[in-house]
Amino acid sequence: MRRRIWQALAVAVFLLVLSRTAVQRDLQASAFQEKIEQCLEAGELPVVVLSQESGEYESLGKSALWAAEYAAEQVNKNGGVNGCKVRIVSENTGSDNSKALSLYQGASRAAFAVLGPIDAPETTYIAQNVERNETVHIAAYSYAESRQLMAPYGISYMSDSEEGELEEVRVWAQQNPDIKNIVLYTMSQDESKENTTELFQNTLADLGLNILKIVDVKPEAGEQDYSYYAIQGLNEDADGYVFLIRGRECANILVKLRQHGVEEGRRISISFSAYGSELFEIAGDQLDGVSIWNKFDPFYKGTQWQQLLKAYEKNIGNTGSVVQVANPVADYYDAVQAICKCYEQFGVTSDNYGEFIGNADVAQWFYNSQMLSGIQSDFRWQEGQKITDYQFFVFEGEMPVNRNDK
Amino acid sequence: MMFGLWLGFMGLAGAMALLFWMVLHFSVENKYQEQTENDLRMAAQSIWDMYGEADFETNIALLAKSNDYFVQIVSEHPIQVMVSVNNQGEKAAPQQDDIADETLFERLNDSDGICQYYVDDQVHASRWAVQAVVLANVNGSRQVLVVSRSQANVDALMKLLTSRYLLVTVTVLVLASILSIWLAEYFARPFRHLNKSAQQMAEGNYETEFIREGPVEARQLAETLELAEQEFNKTEALRRDFVANVSHDMRTPLTVIRMYAEMLEAFSGEIPEKREEHVRMILNETDRLTNLISDTLDLAKLQSGTMEMNPSVFAIEDVAEEVLSSVCANKPEFQFKLDCPESMQVCADRKLIYRVIYNFASNAVKFSGKKQEARIVIRKYQGSVRVEVIDYGIGIEKDKLPYIWNRFYQAKPNDREKCGMGVGLNIASEILRLHHAPFGADSTPNEGTCFWFMLEAYENET
């Protein structure tokens, strides 16, 4: 009898916690919805952003939110859209999947387009769990599977990294025709890198490249691990080394390779995901001749970009090195500009905003867009995938130089 | 048994020796081996990290000398030793050609660029522990760092330990063998003796001696067997007495019957007074014989548990009166009084309870001595009816009281006339046990005895 009472009590507590969480989530969703509605009531056009100001993606999330706010500021400086000022209405997901979902559901009731999250796990969770979606969702739809699940509403805010990685290796191989046998450094715990590795295994032979060995690098590796990874590369009769890994791991292994016989930097190709301060700080003096690619050009001379760089440096407290601009900055700037362009083309104002919720024409406008003007160059969306130019660099000393500029 | 014990002890000693050997071999030797491999790994790591530094070769020499290992750097195309330092930190040719030959590169091809292996030490009849790691790759030609250390010292130590171990093992096994023989004898001997004595007892010799020796359990077993032997002795004596008693008690009335029958045939048939007297004697003896057989049968039934109970409600004082009439019929001078202030109902087998009171009363008459007087006292006592048969006769010694309920027990074995077969009280006790009735006897020598029992009082609820 007593046991049954305890069991019933435990179930009751569990249900209470569950219902409390559900109520809490619903309250968050409603509050976010109200925030958007208040913006419209104030006669402003909302650009709804699911931001990551805390949690695992905090550093990237803050930069992305800043870029969105900066873009809105630029639009407003030019008089806004259709006579309305544009306002970024954001809410922090805390890099938490379930919170991101409830906020997204709240936003969907009041907005016809939502920007973010920046990361694949949160985006995939929303795509898999949202009950009914008629909201244009510009987020990290880098996986075709998620995109198809949300089509035609799921739109990728950034260009596909797998294709970029392949393009970099193709360009690198073309520039170095003597490189035939390579060692590939990857990180199987990163799903994106795992997919890229599979793509390379299937396609590099067509480029005349033979993968001698795939070295699987663990995140949070130590000094001895870096030596071990380097030795694995040195043990092969390789002409070149391709890195699909992050900055710190890539820099440490690269330094050891260079110290142990890999004298020519041109034999090394690095992924965009290593493009950052750690690579330059750890391996700066070993990068001469090394190839690297990125989704944007930090040295782009365009006025808008240069203004953005200055503002970014001022607001984020950068050290002044242009190469440290976070990756989603350019993409979020472009996404906000695209949303504003949509408002302009469809004549959206704060009064008629609600009429565009679930509008199929608007969804198609994003999903298969005409050419749009970006912060660095034009881009378009095709079947929700962002199509843009990739930027390829070769280090001259410690500075990456865009191949197109050479 | 002795062989089994010896085998067990030797098995234990062998297992211990094996365990010790396994510890020596797998633990000590593996520990040394692991230590050597770790040292070589650390040495290779240190040298690997120093590659490219200006004083690279000088540092190698220092490390080799201070850590007692040999270092070579071997290039792949062509295979040649680029640097070779001995354990004194001096430049010297490799200690053996096969430390770093072409098989080195085959080993590395099957590895991640690091491998560990052993090469036979041709000079010291030992082995070289070798750690090889790719140090650099220059234009597709690997340069391999080979660090090695002789295992001669470790092997010598292990040989020494093994030889000592073998000596210790042989000594231990010999001692264990001697000890196990002594222990096996110590444990097996008493049981052998006990077994022999028990066999003698089984053959009917109840005077066999059980020697108390060896371990506690064997001594306890000897005591137990001795007690059992004593009990057998007592039972045998009782059996013999019983046979003698039954023979005597049956023969006596038969002799009397025959004597009076002959007298009837010879002369008293014509004299009515004599004939009547002789016929009465024959009938009395026949009754006595019948009672004897009846007692024997009842006893057998009670012992086998086949005695059937026929409970009924009756007044206990009525049964007591019947007993008194019967007992005093042939002894009109005996003063047997019934003391029962009120009628008391009980539920029991009337016939069996009559038998109990009769046996107690008969005893009272037999042993009342000169004071031809006895009493039956019936009282209510805590919801039960307590019946006491009290005589003022010779009494029973205190040490004999516990045995009076035993079968064939006779407190006065020499007084044949009074004692009978020694089954009366045993029958009474069995009947009372059958009724789950408490019973007992209190006695003081030369003052008298009180036999008592209690039955649950029957209360008519209506």
Side-chain angles (χ1 to χ4, degrees), chain A residues 213 223-224 227-228 230-238 241 256 259-263, chain B residues 42 45 48-49 51-52 108-109 111-114 133-140 142:
Chain A
K213 187 170 182 68
E223 193 63 28
Q224 282 198 354
S227 300
Y228 173 61
I231 289 166
Q232 286 185 65
L234 294 170
N235 192 41
E236 302 299 326
D237 187 14
Y241 304 87
K256 293 192 184 298
Q259 286 173 348
H260 289 263
V262 183
E263 291 175 351
Chain B
M42 296 299 289
Q45 180 70 48
W48 197 88
D49 288 340
Y51 180 79
L108 287 168
N109 288 341
S111 74
D112 279 340
I114 301 170
V133 55
V134 176
L135 185 63
N137 191 324
V138 181
N139 298 326
R142 285 176 289 186

Side-chain angles (χ1 to χ4, degrees), chain B residues 224-285:
Chain B
T224 308
L225 285 169
E226 211 164 75
L227 281 173
E229 190 182 42
Q230 286 168 10
E231 286 302 311
F232 277 135
N233 261 332
K234 282 181 191 169
T235 309
E236 183 61 15
L238 287 170
R239 190 186 62 79
R240 277 198 298 269
D241 291 348
F242 174 70
V243 171
N245 291 349
V246 168
S247 304
H248 176 268
D249 286 356
M250 291 183 87
R251 202 164 43 234
T252 306
L254 283 171
T255 308
V256 173
I257 288 165
R258 184 180 177 83
M259 186 183 75
Y260 282 102
E262 283 173 354
M263 284 168 71
L264 267 176
E265 187 186 29
F267 61 89
S268 62
E270 304 299 327
I271 307 160
E273 295 80 15
K274 285 287 177 188
R275 188 180 61 219
E276 193 181 335
E277 184 192 343
H278 292 169
V279 166
R280 196 178 67 247
M281 288 304 289
I282 289 170
L283 288 172
N284 283 346
E285 289 303 318

Side-chain angles (χ1 to χ4, degrees), chain B residues 301-321:
Chain B
K301 279 183 182 175
L302 284 165
Q303 284 173 353
S304 63
T306 54
M307 175 69 84
E308 282 185 15
M309 288 251 293
N310 294 305
S312 61
V313 178
F314 58 89
I316 191 79
E317 70 274 13
D318 291 349
V319 177
E321 273 176 15

